[in-house]
Amino acid sequence: MPFLDRHLGPRPDDVAAMLEAVGHRSLDDLAAAAVPASIAAREPLRLPGLPAALSEEQALARMRRIAARNRPAVQMIGQGYHETTTPAVLRRNILESPAWYTSYTPYQAEISQGRLEALLNFQNAIMDLTGLDIANASMLDEATCAAEAVLLMHRANRKVKEGAVAVDSRLLPQTLGIVFSRLEALGIEAILTDFSSGLPEGRLFGALLAQIGSEGELLDVGPTAAAAREAGALVAVATDPLALTLIPSPGSLGADVAVGSSQRFGVPLFYGGPHAAFIAVRKGLERSLPGRLVGVSTDEAGRPAYRLALQTREQHIRREKATSNICTAQALLAVVAGAYAVYHGPEGLRRIAEQIHGRAARLAAGLAGAGLEPLHGRFFDTVTVRVPGEADRVLARALEEGINLRRVDADTVGVSVGEPHTAEHIEAVLRAFGASAAQEGEAERFAIPAQLRRRDGYLGHPVFHAHRSETSMMRYLRELSDRDLALDRTMIPLGSCTMKLNAAAELEPISWPELAGIHPLAPADQARGWAELIGDLEAWLAAITGYAAVSLQPNAGSQGEYAGLLAIRDYHRDRGDDQRRIVLIPASAHGTNAASAVLAALRVVAVATAEDGSILMEDLAAKVERHRDELAAIMITYPSTHGVFEGDVAEVCRMVHDAGGQVYLDGANLNALVGLATPGGFGGDVSHLNLHKTFCIPHGGGGPGVGPVAVGEHLRPYLPGDPAAPGEGSGAVSQAMFGSAGVLPISWMYLAMMGAEGLAEASRTAILNANYLARRLDPYFPVLYAGAGGLVAHECILDLRPLTKASGITAEDVCKRLMDFGFHAPTLAFPVPGTLMVEPTESEDLAELDRFVEAMAAIHAEMTEVAEGRVEAGESVLRRAPHTAEAVSADAWDRPYPRSQAAYPVPGLRRSKYWPPVGRNDGTAGDRNLVCECPPPAAFDIEHRADEPAGSED
């Protein structure tokens, strides 16, 4: 059977019935009626180098051939990327488990308790290791995390509002590249500083220090941190969490912020990403913290309940005033890293760190014995040594042993030791240098000195001591995943988020060592397979979008936005139009649009929307004319954020171009366009795409994501450069040249198996499914916006406001009640407060769509009972939802509706039932009393807690 038939949900007979319901004869007729003729593609889509769709077996065989072109080696290059061992229990039960990789961002807390606990474990591990009070639930990569730390210090320093940041010259090259690129865009002064000579002169709002230098030197940052704070600066420290099991925590040394990567906690190299970075802060800075933060509140029974705290989707609230544009995190990789800490515990992590340092010390001693004294005598895992004129010869000899080393320059070589590296590997490296193993005891002089040794404990919570056997760990991971609701259980009808099938065949290659084991700085001839895969994907995405070139570097949609806006800014600047700094953004646009514009030092001017949800053309015309000489761009989402194909999009593009501006077409809703129309063909100059939406990379509970940026020919020179290459990092937005390369095979497999016609059929089916739901649900909850012929695009907005006004039951109440039916909620209150935005995707079959209609009809009936006064809103089944098994089975039942209505509102649930693990979460209390560390096990025992003396604390 062709893969297309596996990917699409509706069967042929179902398609016929659904077409009849929406009043069209065929999918082609429906698409022609929905997609405006002014933008429809004139030619069928063609994917370069792919004449026809491949079967699953053919695609996997071709991927095998591509992967075989890579040459895996023992990777001892370092530079922020380290070989690690992924325990099989974590690989199989997290990375390769759809229960984990198909879940959505945990905005609906009650059905996300498993992944929230896993992320809380990650936060706790980072807080303990860094010695700081609060850590978030992951960042995109270490380099962008360091840049965010600088911006945090710039926002939060109340003593020094002006001034510069001193940036340690010993930071990793990619960190320096990203930090300076990000700050240059904002006009924030950064001073590259050798802190061994003290602080630079002038006022400083912050200092960004390296605890371990790029050459491996272990640095005592305490005195520098003290001097910086004395001068009124805040202090951020870039560190290594595994090294922190042996060396002092940044918090103990006076740091306000710590950043780093958790990659070596069991996450493969993945050719540069995805890897979960982290940022931790001292108390008092939590409300400036970017990204997502998992906190603890209580449910209605008083039991601890996890939730996202403080800044959940803050871009949609604060828009251009948001603290950052970070939306996607690296949740799945943070789950792996947190589980790695749980599985090994403090003793296991320390043992791994001691083993790594011990082998690095023996390497240093052997080199010293051959007259090759390391540049630095204090190090954790990296030894750098001068070999005048011999670097290339040493690297070649090491490669003969199957080992990659780092070429610092023609006279210098670096060697980084990782968890899997053995004594035999150390001996092979010594042979490459012409040295031999050191005598017993000679390595002791390279031991970490006492003053740089950690003295306090870490990972004291019971969870880090409870799961040492694989049996226990396997069951713990199963327990957590059972507490979640992911795509492996049910449709996730989130508008604008495109939760479609993430096929097993697409996911299979990402774990292959030939792909996952390649270092991003490995020689090009060792990564020819990656070059082919990336080249295919760039060419295919360019054809799909109608643009000239694509960069895969942005590792989130928000970073794709940022890269596209930098390209527009630099294009205008090079043409002498530096005054073009205004970006027009519709009021209904994704919140990250505005936040990304501000990060690119552009000024946001909002454009009003009409009653039908489209851009208000009169307001647009007025603002284009008012800002004609300063207009840099317009950012529009197409189909619109309201789920409609706006007929005047080509006219919008023409108006902006006539004024000298560029058109940024947000590709978040591309799932309705692929194969039917091309953004570059109807007026776009640049778009970002969401591979974690349209192109089947799973959401992973909130990441990884990939947000490639596609541009017209005139913007090709402004695509992101290599952040680690001097002079080439202009516009770089991620620390690795190809961002989250490790998940690109997923999209390659999807495109190869679908083929050009299959992609168009998927778009047509997505439009069919959305219009079928819109037609079926409209009698209960009116569809707020529609385009020509009453059709929507790939999603629709349900208007709950009239029934909310009559009943007092809110859209949020409906979201909680849907959990009792075994459904994840649609998108809540965006882009219109009081509404739900529904996107079924092309992967859901008719039975699942009808099941959702049945649930919404039942909820409508329950709301109507309240509106008619037969039930009081506060005691209704809707307001008390969701219902846990514990609540329904309790001896006491004081609610005015029967248990059966709470648990089994429709008959089909009696055959298969998902039980929410907690009752409704008290979000307000959680924000007022922020707790972001794991509660002790006793906190979950309500009966035990009831017996505690008054005033006792959990």
Side-chain angles (χ1 to χ4, degrees):
M1 179 178 286
F3 176 74
L4 175 65
D5 291 334
R6 301 297 192 193
H7 179 77
L8 300 181
R11 302 296 89 194
D13 289 347
D14 297 335
V15 170
M18 294 163 70
L19 284 167
E20 183 176 358
V22 300
H24 286 271
R25 294 178 300 174
S26 69
L27 286 175
D28 285 335
D29 287 346
L30 174 64
V35 180
S38 60
I39 70 164
R42 302 291 181 261
E43 299 286 338
L45 175 65
R46 292 180 175 84
L47 299 183
L50 191 69
L54 304 178
S55 68
E56 291 186 35
E57 295 77 13
Q58 290 170 329
L60 285 168
R62 182 162 165 180
M63 181 63 78
R64 280 286 184 196
R65 291 194 293 272
I66 290 173
R69 299 190 66 199
N70 292 330
R71 288 196 296 137
V74 176
Q75 308 291 1
M76 302 183 79
I77 299 171
Q79 293 297 281
Y81 306 97
H82 302 275
E83 283 206 319
T84 183
T85 300
T86 308
V89 66
L90 306 190
R91 185 184 68 248
R92 187 169 180 82
N93 292 288
I94 300 176
L95 279 176
E96 297 174 356
S97 169
W100 288 98
Y101 64 68
T102 70
S103 60
Y104 182 60
T105 307
Y107 296 129
Q108 291 291 336
E110 294 84 355
I111 53 174
S112 308
Q113 291 295 294
R115 83 197 81 128
L116 285 167
E117 180 170 327
L119 292 172
L120 200 64
N121 291 340
F122 172 81
Q123 289 182 183
N124 248 53
I126 297 303
M127 289 157 54
D128 282 5
L129 291 168
T130 61
L132 289 164
D133 301 299
I134 296 170
N136 76 2
S138 77
M139 298 286 279
L140 295 172
D141 58 46
E142 181 175 354
T144 56
C145 193
E148 291 284 349
V150 173
L151 297 181
L152 183 155
M153 293 190 292
H154 189 252
R155 290 191 302 270
N157 193 326
R158 301 182 185 277
K159 297 179 181 177
V160 181
K161 300 308 283 183
E162 301 296 331
V165 60
V167 178
D168 201 327
S169 60
R170 296 164 293 192
L171 288 161
L172 295 168
Q174 63 268 27
T175 298
L176 291 174
I178 290 292
V179 168
F180 277 87
S181 175
R182 185 70 61 92
L183 298 184
E184 184 273 335
L186 292 171
I188 296 174
E189 184 183 1
I191 304 171
L192 190 64
T193 304
D194 179 356
F195 285 106
S196 64
S197 302
L199 299 176
E201 294 183 359
R203 290 170 60 80
L204 298 175
F205 68 81
L208 176 59
L209 312 179
Q211 193 169 14
I212 300 175
S214 64
E215 293 180 345
E217 182 182 10
L218 190 56
L219 303 164
D220 184 1
V221 300
T224 304
R229 296 194 69 175
E230 180 68 23
L234 296 179
V235 176
V237 173
T239 190
D240 179 331
L242 190 57
L244 290 177
T245 64
L246 304 181
I247 65 176
S249 67
S252 71
L253 299 173
D256 300 288
V257 187
V259 299
S261 170
S262 64
Q263 178 261 316
R264 65 193 315 168
F265 276 30
V267 180
L269 289 165
F270 281 144
Y271 201 46
H275 302 139
F278 62 83
I279 183 167
V281 297
R282 63 167 171 78
K283 194 170 182 59
L285 295 177
E286 60 271 19
R287 294 182 187 273
S288 291
L289 192 66
R292 297 174 183 144
L293 178 68
V294 177
V296 183
S297 184
T298 58
D299 73 354
E300 66 172 9
R303 189 182 301 280
Y306 308 120
R307 54 187 286 279
L308 290 183
L310 294 183
Q311 297 179 346
T312 301
R313 307 204 85 173
E314 69 140 6
Q315 292 91 358
H316 288 297
I317 301 168
R318 304 191 68 211
R319 300 178 70 79
E320 66 269 21
K321 294 182 175 63
T323 54
S324 82
N325 73 333
I326 295 294
C327 185
T328 303
Q330 299 288 18
L332 185 65
L333 297 316
V335 167
V336 172
Y340 182 92
V342 168
Y343 196 39
H344 288 292
E347 301 87 358
L349 293 182
R350 178 181 283 272
R351 184 170 58 250
I352 293 167
E354 293 279 15
Q355 177 179 285
I356 287 171
H357 174 68
R359 288 180 177 153
R362 286 193 288 276
L363 172 65
L367 292 172
L372 300 172
E373 194 69 27
L375 294 186
H376 309 291
R378 302 187 303 185
F379 52 80
F380 167 56
D381 64 350
T382 299
V383 178
T384 303
V385 62
R386 283 184 58 79
V387 286
E390 292 291 311
D392 291 330
R393 190 187 302 269
V394 170
L395 262 66
R397 286 200 293 255
L399 191 54
E400 290 174 0
E401 302 270 5
I403 298 172
N404 280 332
L405 306 181
R406 180 191 175 214
R407 185 187 190 276
V408 181
D409 55 39
D411 303 317
T412 316
V413 174
V415 186
S416 292
V417 181
E419 179 186 356
H421 300 152
T422 64
E424 287 74 21
H425 291 132
I426 301 302
E427 291 173 6
V429 172
L430 286 169
R431 287 195 296 272
F433 280 96
S436 57
Q439 296 297 313
E440 190 72 28
E442 291 182 359
E444 292 180 6
R445 73 181 179 98
F446 293 105
I448 297 173
Q451 68 271 25
L452 292 181
R453 278 273 177 178
R454 183 166 189 149
R455 294 181 175 85
D456 58 329
Y458 46 85
L459 304 188
H461 190 278
V463 75
F464 297 110
H465 299 263
H467 305 292
R468 289 295 172 272
S469 74
E470 181 170 331
T471 304
S472 178
M473 191 68 197
M474 174 182 66
R475 289 173 180 163
Y476 178 56
L477 294 174
R478 174 61 186 265
E479 174 193 334
L480 294 182
S481 65
D482 279 349
R483 302 175 75 206
D484 276 8
L485 193 62
L487 199 70
D488 65 330
R489 294 180 191 261
T490 179
M491 175 171 73
I492 300 181
L494 284 153
S496 195
C497 291
T498 315
M499 297 292 295
K500 66 204 298 182
L501 172 69
N502 314 123
E506 295 160 6
L507 273 291
E508 185 176 331
I510 69 169
S511 299
W512 294 351
E514 299 91 339
L515 294 171
I518 304 298
H519 195 288
L521 303 179
D525 65 351
Q526 295 181 20
R528 288 186 175 132
W530 272 116
E532 180 180 346
L533 187 153
I534 288 167
D536 282 348
L537 204 47
E538 288 176 343
W540 295 346
L541 293 175
I544 286 167
T545 56
Y547 287 115
V550 171
S551 169
L552 296 170
Q553 185 181 123
N555 52 8
S558 60
Q559 305 310 292
E561 292 174 2
Y562 178 61
L565 291 168
L566 288 182
I568 290 172
R569 184 206 63 176
D570 292 347
Y571 169 78
H572 286 309
R573 184 176 59 188
D574 285 356
R575 290 165 60 88
D577 288 336
D578 194 52
Q579 83 286 355
R580 290 191 176 273
R581 293 293 179 115
I582 285 180
V583 178
L584 303 178
I585 300 180
S588 62
H590 294 101
T592 54
N593 284 183
S596 296
V598 171
L599 280 181
L602 301 170
R603 186 159 67 89
V604 175
V605 172
V607 178
T609 52
E611 287 188 9
D612 64 359
S614 63
I615 293 174
L616 188 61
M617 295 298 287
E618 295 84 353
D619 190 53
L620 174 63
K623 284 172 178 170
V624 167
E625 187 58 35
R626 185 183 313 158
H627 302 292
R628 176 171 292 270
D629 295 334
E630 303 168 281
L631 183 59
I634 188 171
M635 296 184 79
I636 56 176
T637 300
Y638 200 84
S640 77
T641 313
H642 296 93
V644 175
F645 288 106
E646 295 184 21
D648 50 15
V649 64
E651 175 63 13
V652 171
C653 296
R654 185 197 63 77
M655 289 171 60
V656 173
H657 285 149
D658 287 349
Q662 297 283 287
V663 174
Y664 183 103
L665 278 163
D666 186 314
N669 291 342
L670 202 68
N671 206 47
L673 285 185
V674 177
L676 306 182
T678 59
F682 58 79
D685 297 292
V686 56
S687 294
H688 90 269
L689 321 176
N690 292 103
L691 300 194
H692 51 289
K693 293 184 181 182
T694 304
F695 299 101
C696 287
I697 291 176
H699 287 246
V706 181
V709 59
V711 298
E713 186 62 44
H714 60 296
L715 294 179
R716 185 195 291 265
Y718 306 103
L719 285 173
D722 185 347
E728 297 181 16
S730 176
V733 296
S734 303
Q735 75 172 36
M737 183 61 195
F738 300 108
S740 291
V743 291
L744 296 180
I746 301 168
S747 295
W748 188 98
M749 287 288 293
Y750 171 68
L751 294 175
M753 293 188 295
M754 292 291 281
E757 177 51 36
L759 293 170
E761 190 74 356
S763 298
R764 289 188 281 264
T765 307
I767 293 170
L768 171 65
N769 280 4
N771 279 282
Y772 176 78
L773 273 189
R775 192 64 56 90
R776 290 289 315 277
L777 290 172
D778 189 70
Y780 305 105
F781 302 102
V783 173
L784 190 55
Y785 302 114
L791 296 174
V792 299
H794 62 308
E795 59 194 7
C796 60
I797 297 177
L798 306 179
D799 193 357
L800 277 65
R801 294 173 299 179
L803 199 47
T804 293
K805 184 177 180 180
S807 66
I809 300 299
T810 66
E812 182 177 10
D813 294 329
V814 173
C815 290
K816 305 308 180 187
R817 180 58 169 152
L818 275 169
M819 298 174 190
D820 291 329
F821 291 82
F823 278 110
H824 193 291
T827 299
L828 170 64
F830 175 79
V832 180
T835 67
L836 296 176
M837 183 160 61
V838 178
E839 180 179 359
T841 84
E842 70 273 17
S843 296
E844 299 301 338
D845 61 24
L846 180 57
E848 187 72 352
L849 301 182
D850 285 343
R851 193 170 77 86
F852 184 71
V853 172
E854 179 187 35
M856 292 299 290
I859 288 172
H860 178 271
E862 292 172 346
M863 292 180 72
T864 301
E865 285 186 329
V866 177
E868 293 175 351
R870 288 178 281 156
V871 176
E872 196 273 318
E875 289 300 313
S876 69
V877 69
L878 293 142
R879 186 63 53 80
R880 300 297 299 273
H883 297 84
T884 64
E886 181 181 17
V888 172
S889 62
D891 293 338
W893 181 260
D894 59 356
R895 307 185 187 191
Y897 48 88
R899 298 174 196 259
S900 58
Q901 184 183 0
Y904 302 112
V906 294
L909 292 170
R910 294 185 180 274
R911 184 177 67 87
S912 178
K913 169 73 177 177
Y914 166 79
W915 292 97
V918 296
R920 190 171 301 204
N921 202 307
D922 190 340
T924 303
D927 277 344
R928 282 200 307 264
N929 305 288
L930 182 63
V931 177
C932 54
E933 58 187 356
C934 304
F940 296 88
D941 187 345
I942 293 179
E943 293 182 8
H944 171 75
R945 292 169 65 212
D947 294 336
E948 290 178 346
S952 65
E953 296 183 359
D954 295 336

